Amino acid sequence: MSAWVSGYREVRRDSRGGSSHRLLSTTAIIVLLIFGASQLHNLLPSIHNPFSTTTTDRSGPVLLKSLTDLHTYDAAQANLQVVVDLKDQTAYVPSFLKGKETLFVAAGSVQAGVDFSALDTSSMVIGKDHHTIAITLPHARLGETTVDPDQSYVASQQSGVLDHLSQVFSSGGSDAKLYQTAKAKIAAQAAGDPSIIQRAEDNTRSMLGTLLASLGYTQVTVTFLA
């Protein structure tokens, strides 16, 4: 009887061990199948991957916040490029531990326009023959600087060990500082180039000349004052 009980216990242990091994084997096979399917899809793109990731856009509709009347004639646009070289350091800490060097190539633009909001009858003098006209306008001014994200990119970036780990475990770094620096540099470059303002005023003068010529004026004089 004792031999029979001992044998029964051995069978029970073998049964539990076999079930455990079968469960582990089944789990391993499932994992291998999933991994194999994803790898096979990379090798054979024409085969549909049942485990592929899809993105659903659940954004709400665009809301109109306000309307603003614009009175500026955009007469010229300067397209500029700048290379931003930023280096972040922490005092008394070696750069290989904490620090970042980034080389950012930014492409941006600045528009120059003439404000027509103050244009009225006092700004125009029409000759007695009704064929000449003189117009006085304010000087052209630079508008807002924009940086094009599609044409801008990080050329190179080196990070210390701690900064690199922070980037790995964070949800994503911000490039706001790079864009702000690039925007300021592009704006400063445009402000120091008088040819942009000159081009805007020349284009405005040409546009008004063509427009008023179609109305019968044979001589159009446009003067820009501060």
Side-chain angles (χ1 to χ4, degrees):
M1 181 66 178
S2 60
W4 182 85
V5 172
S6 176
Y8 175 74
R9 290 176 179 173
E10 292 293 334
V11 170
R12 292 285 294 178
R13 283 198 294 267
D14 292 342
S15 176
R16 289 195 297 268
S19 300
S20 177
H21 286 304
R22 284 196 297 271
L23 178 60
L24 290 176
S25 299
T26 303
T27 304
I29 291 173
I30 293 174
V31 171
L32 289 175
L33 285 175
I34 295 175
F35 177 77
S38 62
Q39 295 301 314
L40 184 62
H41 178 70
N42 293 332
L43 296 176
L44 301 174
S46 59
I47 300 178
H48 174 68
N49 182 8
F51 305 102
S52 61
T53 302
T54 59
T55 301
T56 303
D57 187 356
R58 301 188 301 174
S59 305
V62 179
L63 301 179
L64 177 63
K65 300 289 290 185
S66 64
L67 291 174
T68 303
D69 293 331
L70 301 179
H71 303 283
T72 301
Y73 170 64
D74 293 326
Q77 176 176 295
N79 299 312
L80 306 169
Q81 188 180 73
V82 64
V83 177
V84 177
D85 188 356
L86 293 183
K87 183 176 182 179
D88 297 330
Q89 289 180 298
T90 302
Y92 309 111
V93 180
S95 59
F96 72 90
L97 285 178
K98 185 169 180 56
K100 183 187 296 183
E101 296 184 18
T102 305
L103 201 64
F104 180 61
V105 180
S109 61
V110 182
Q111 290 187 335
V114 178
D115 187 7
F116 284 89
S117 61
L119 187 63
D120 55 21
T121 55
S122 63
S123 305
M124 298 178 288
V125 179
I126 301 176
K128 294 181 179 181
D129 57 359
H130 296 284
H131 292 294
T132 62
I133 183 172
I135 303 176
T136 302
L137 293 172
H139 278 294
R141 301 179 62 180
L142 295 177
E144 184 178 359
T145 302
T146 58
V147 178
D148 186 357
D150 294 331
Q151 301 297 325
S152 305
Y153 58 93
V154 176
S156 65
Q157 188 173 71
Q158 296 180 351
S159 302
V161 176
L162 298 179
D163 290 289
H164 182 70
L165 290 175
S166 177
Q167 293 174 2
V168 170
F169 292 104
S170 64
S171 60
S174 175
D175 295 331
K177 186 176 181 180
L178 294 174
Y179 278 89
Q180 290 171 359
T181 304
K183 183 177 180 179
K185 289 182 177 294
I186 291 175
Q189 176 65 27
D193 188 352
S195 65
I196 303 174
I197 296 296
Q198 185 62 51
R199 174 67 69 86
E201 293 181 354
D202 290 343
N203 290 344
T204 302
R205 187 178 286 109
S206 176
M207 181 273 295
L208 290 176
T210 302
L211 176 64
L212 293 173
S214 65
L215 299 178
Y217 293 97
T218 58
Q219 182 178 345
V220 179
T221 303
V222 179
T223 304
F224 294 94
L225 300 176

